[in-house]
Amino acid sequence: MDVRASKVQKKIQLLNALIAHPRTGEAERDAARRMLQRVISKAAAEGVKISESGYVDSRTYGAKYDHCGRLDVSDIAKLIREDIKLARKVAKKAAAPGSLAVVDPLADAPAEVKFGVTARRYAGSHRVIDIKVRNVPANWWEERTDDLGDTGKFATPALKALAAELRSIMDAYNHNGSDLLSDYTDVRFSGHVLSEEGLTLA
């Protein structure tokens, strides 16, 4: 929790204590309630999501997170599949002759490149969505040696850009409140963009 959120949380706790105290007069209690709403509204305008109880929501939410409510992960995968199909169609039309030239990884991808979206559910609440990129042309890969001296196949900038675009489409349906420092994971689903061979691209 950052310093700003911590200060807001402290102020809300003080106001709630004042509202709940039996010796607080009705006029003061009403004033405290109004101030509580102002504090919450101001915090929201500054990007701090906090409830009346003082709970701070530190998650980040994708643009379409609220659109799918309590849908199962398989249904979310269908939405992602439809979004990719539409995005590619729009990108191809936007890249038609005579159109303003705009860099778009989906439009730049060769026609033979195909995308598959799969969903898996494991024991407990762990859910996974994978976007698999198939039929990647050979010139979208490069052979090189990494820092450890191992030679292998690596994605070119064009393939990386495509993977990042696909990842952004998927992340629109996800939330993330994970903390890498403490190894704490908090997501609606784990998402990956993979090559046909299973290499992680994004």
Side-chain angles (χ1 to χ4, degrees):
M1 186 188 305
D2 61 26
V3 174
R4 181 177 54 178
S6 180
K7 287 182 178 179
V8 172
Q9 188 179 55
K10 182 67 174 178
K11 187 176 290 187
I12 287 176
Q13 289 172 347
L14 291 171
L15 287 168
N16 278 325
L18 182 63
I19 292 168
H21 200 285
R23 294 184 181 178
T24 301
E26 282 305 312
E28 189 177 15
R29 182 174 285 111
D30 288 341
R33 288 189 179 116
R34 292 192 298 272
M35 185 175 180
L36 177 61
Q37 293 305 314
R38 290 197 302 273
V39 168
I40 292 172
S41 297
K42 183 180 178 182
E46 294 175 349
V48 178
K49 300 172 185 175
I50 193 164
S51 68
E52 287 191 9
S53 65
Y55 168 73
V56 177
D57 187 353
S58 58
R59 290 173 171 174
T60 56
Y61 295 87
K64 297 184 178 180
Y65 182 86
D66 292 331
H67 295 189
C68 48
R70 295 184 177 274
L71 288 180
D72 185 74
V73 67
S74 60
D75 295 316
I76 296 174
K78 290 178 185 177
L79 293 175
I80 294 170
R81 197 176 299 120
E82 292 168 4
D83 284 0
I84 293 172
K85 184 177 179 181
L86 178 61
R88 193 175 202 188
K89 182 178 179 180
V90 171
K92 290 293 185 184
K93 286 191 174 182
S99 302
L100 181 65
V102 178
V103 176
D104 190 310
L106 283 168
D108 295 340
E112 67 266 24
V113 174
K114 304 298 180 185
F115 310 111
V117 184
T118 58
R120 304 190 304 279
R121 179 187 288 276
Y122 294 96
S125 59
H126 186 55
R127 298 175 291 183
V128 176
I129 293 179
D130 290 331
I131 299 176
K132 188 162 284 189
V133 186
R134 300 188 174 93
N135 302 334
V136 177
N139 62 355
W140 274 40
W141 294 102
E142 59 183 15
E143 292 282 340
R144 58 184 172 85
T145 303
D146 62 18
D147 296 336
L148 298 176
D150 295 325
T151 300
K153 188 165 71 171
F154 295 86
T156 61
L159 182 52
K160 288 179 180 178
L162 176 61
E165 185 72 11
L166 294 169
R167 179 79 198 211
S168 70
I169 291 173
M170 176 168 54
D171 284 347
Y173 293 95
N174 213 349
H175 74 247
N176 193 344
S178 304
D179 183 353
L180 296 178
L181 293 178
S182 62
D183 202 27
Y184 170 70
T185 302
D186 173 23
V187 291
R188 170 180 264 169
F189 57 85
S190 296
H192 316 93
V193 180
L194 307 169
S195 70
E196 196 165 7
E197 300 83 0
L199 297 175
T200 300
L201 301 174

